Every structure is written in structure tokens, then in C-alpha cells.
Amino acid sequence: MTTPETRLAELGLSLPQPTTLPPNLKLPFSFINIRGNRALISGHPKSAPDGSIAGPYGQVGKDLSTDEAYAEAREVGLSILANLKAEIGELSRIAGWVRVFGMVNSAPGYSEQHLAINGFSDLIIGAFGPEIGAHARSAIGTHGLPMNFAIEIEAEALLKE
Amino acid sequence: MTTPETRLAELGLSLPQPTTLPPNLKLPFSFINIRGNRALISGHPKSAPDGSIAGPYGQVGKDLSTDEAYAEAREVGLSILANLKAEIGELSRIAGWVRVFGMVNSAPGYSEQHLAINGFSDLIIGAFGPEIGAHARSAIGTHGLPMNFAIEIEAEALLKE
Amino acid sequence: MTTPETRLAELGLSLPQPTTLPPNLKLPFSFINIRGNRALISGHPKSAPDGSIAGPYGQVGKDLSTDEAYAEAREVGLSILANLKAEIGELSRIAGWVRVFGMVNSAPGYSEQHLAINGFSDLIIGAFGPEIGAHARSAIGTHGLPMNFAIEIEAEALLKE
């Protein structure tokens, strides 16, 4: 049976460990918040393979190109999928993606936020297919992000009942 | 029977064609994503009458005045309603508006994002009435938007079961 | 029985009056929009004890420090809880928090939006406890906010059926 996990493997992608925080950092919110069949996904940065927070940092359009931001948005997606899987067990429990909100820390005049966030959307469609992976989306340019992240992605998915 | 479509006509407004994309542009997300009875609406720009993407472009507070942005936000709303109607058939299938998120590409120091996005809110209340049209809302100033859009509006509505 | 209201009192906090608007200001949206068991909460500023809108104003990182913004985000939370309570009667009707979106009007280079919005998250966890209070969250830097607010917080909570 084809699962999101096998599709990711076919794409040559692997999930990092779930996000681990430095001992001095305690977040008063949940990376993944399950309410009924809704999985609410907090704004995520990228994780290193060991789960530590790994940026990316800086402004897109100055410190990162759009192509680099596209690749980073895919990495943010892998971090999200790792945290989701840790919470729900198997990614095939996702019945459908709902909404994606892509925040791009933008240099003045930068206007390719949509192309950057495509790195995330393409990952989701690739792993879940066009029906389950379908999502509404907005991409915006921010004036700063926490810890100087270059990209932060928030989303919602529905779980099978 | 009064429908949102007849109310729009009474207001002298007509819907553009559903959004059509240039042949070289393929979006990895859906303008409208239906999940159960939820209609998730991607961040939309304005459409020309033929459905082609038509801005508006630039920074509000510099390239557009608040009054111009108000009128543009109404146009964005008409584009959203056109895509919604293409997806669900009749706007009277909407049981209630849920949430509106208005993104305004803002010049430094601009602080009338709420007045700009009122163009959208007034349209929704006008077309759907105060009960079905009621919505929670945020309006923010962004530091850039995709394709240099001046306004982008995301929303959620509920469909009748 | 311990309620969110008694927990707030134990924390030495009290709710302002529900938000009242100046006579010349009419909002085409609802501070709180109830749809089924979902309570959608519009982007809120702070209220003075009498319910009048009270900022805070300016850019965080320039006009307000992170510590000041943390305290202001808690005040925004009290304003939200006051409007919620006015709508639903008792805060114990909330079955769970869903999502929080914290918008911080940011000076160039400011990168502690998450620490500012912790003022809201800590309030919610403090008043509702770790299970009902759990929420997904994003925090972003904006380039301007309506009326030059320094902070605006949007959220969603679920009501008991």
C-alpha cells in the first residue's frame, strides 16, 4: 500500500526527528494541536535531522534567493510532517489538508513569496496526492519573524474519524 | 427569492469570470478548498472581468490611497465570490461566513488597513445580510505580497449541509 | 469549582468591560463570531477597563520593549476574554483553544515576536489549564497594523456542545 511515508521515500526525502527544544526554551503552545478531527499546525521553522531548530534565518530576497527559499520551505514541510507523525502515528491518518499559511520574512520589494511557499505545497501534493493534499493557501511577506526565521509555515489538516 | 446574486445585482455589481491563470502558471494549491461543510478560500487578488489576475499592485499608502484600496478590496471580494460560485453552484449554499483575513501591502507608517479591508466586509454583509455575512476578521500590514499585489484576502465560509 | 474566571482572579487579573466603540466607528465585522461550536475571534487590540480601545500603539522593538509587549499581549488577551464572556456567558463553556495568531507591529530587525505573544499564551494556559488551554500558534512581524496598534491577536476556540 502506498502511504505518504513511502511516497516521501520515493522522492528521496526523509523526515527529521520531531522538534526538540533547547533545555532553556519552554513554549506555551503546541506544535500540533489536535481538536476533534482537526490537526492545527503551529507556525514551523526547519528542523535539523536530530530535531533541533535549524532556521532558515534572514530575509528572503536578500539573504536567500527564491530557489533557496523554495528548498527551505520543503524542509519546513518535512519538520511539520515529522511533528504530525509523532502526534498521530501514521501520516495516512490524514483525510485531507485544509489550509496553508506561508510567512516569508521579506526584503524590501520582494514579491515571490508564492514561489517560495510552493516548496511546501509541492511537498504536500507529492506526499499525499492531489485529493488529500489539496489545500487553500496564502503567502505573505512579513516584517520580521521570531528568531529571525526566513520562513514559517502554519497549516491545518483533517484526520480520518 | 432574494439570493446573494440578486443582492449583488441590486448593488450594481457583477461577478467576473472565475480566475484563469496564464498557461505557464500552475498553482500547487486550490483557490477554493472544500472540506466537509467548510469552504476554505485562498488568499485572492482581483480578477478582471475575463477572470485574468488583475492586481491591484503596489503599496497602499503610497501607490494606492485608502479609498482606492477600499474599492480594490471589494473587487477582490467579487473575484472570491466568482470562484466560490464556480465551485458550489449557488452562493445561497453558504450558511455563514466564518473568518476573513485581510492582507494589505503597506507603505511605511500606513495604519488604515482596517478601512481598506472594509471594502470586502461591506460587500459580504451587503450580499449575504448581517447574519449569514457576519464574520470575524483581522487586517494586517504586510512587507510585500506575491507578485507585488497590494491586497490579498483569505477567508472561510460554511456551506449548508 | 474552579473556573477560568476564578483562576484569573487568583492571578490578580480582572476583565475589562466588553469593547465599546466610539459613536462614529461602526465595524462591518464581529469581534466574536460563533458558528456552530466554533468561536472565531477577530484580531483584537487592548481595552481599557471601561472597554474603550486602548492600543497599545507603535512598533515593538522601537516604541515598546519585548517585556512591555509581553504585558500588552496579556492585556489583549483580557480584552478577548471579556468579549468572549459577553458572547457566551461563562468562560467554562470553552471546551478547548484551537489556534492563536499573534501579529506584532515590528521595528526593522525585530525578532522576538514569539516572546511578546507568550504574554497571551501564558494567560490562556493560566486561565484554562494545559489541556483546554492548549493551542497551535504563529507569531509574525507585520509592517503596520490598523490604527498603528503594536499588537493584534486573532484566535479560535471550541465551545462545549
Side-chain angles (χ1 to χ4, degrees), chain B residues 12-30:
Chain B
L13 300 170
S14 57
L15 298 182
Q17 293 299 309
T19 307
T20 51
L21 298 173
N24 62 332
L25 184 59
K26 194 163 166 291
L27 300 182
F29 63 90
S30 312

Side-chain angles (χ1 to χ4, degrees), chain A residues 26 28-33 35 38 40-43 99 101 103 140-148 152 154, chain C residues 38 96-99 101 106 108 111 113-114 118 121-122 131-132 134-143 156:
Chain A
K26 197 164 165 290
F29 63 90
S30 311
F31 278 119
I32 309 291
N33 185 30
R35 294 289 181 198
R38 297 171 66 189
L40 287 300
I41 299 164
S42 289
R99 170 185 174 265
F101 187 68
M103 298 158 267
I140 68 163
T142 69
H143 197 236
L145 282 177
M147 302 175 74
N148 197 30
E152 185 184 333
E154 171 185 325
Chain C
R38 297 171 65 189
W97 285 78
V98 175
R99 169 184 175 266
F101 188 68
S106 295
S111 62
Q113 291 85 359
H114 56 305
N118 281 357
S121 291
D122 286 341
E131 291 191 20
I132 291 174
H135 54 274
R137 196 188 87 177
S138 300
I140 69 163
T142 70
H143 198 236
E156 180 179 344

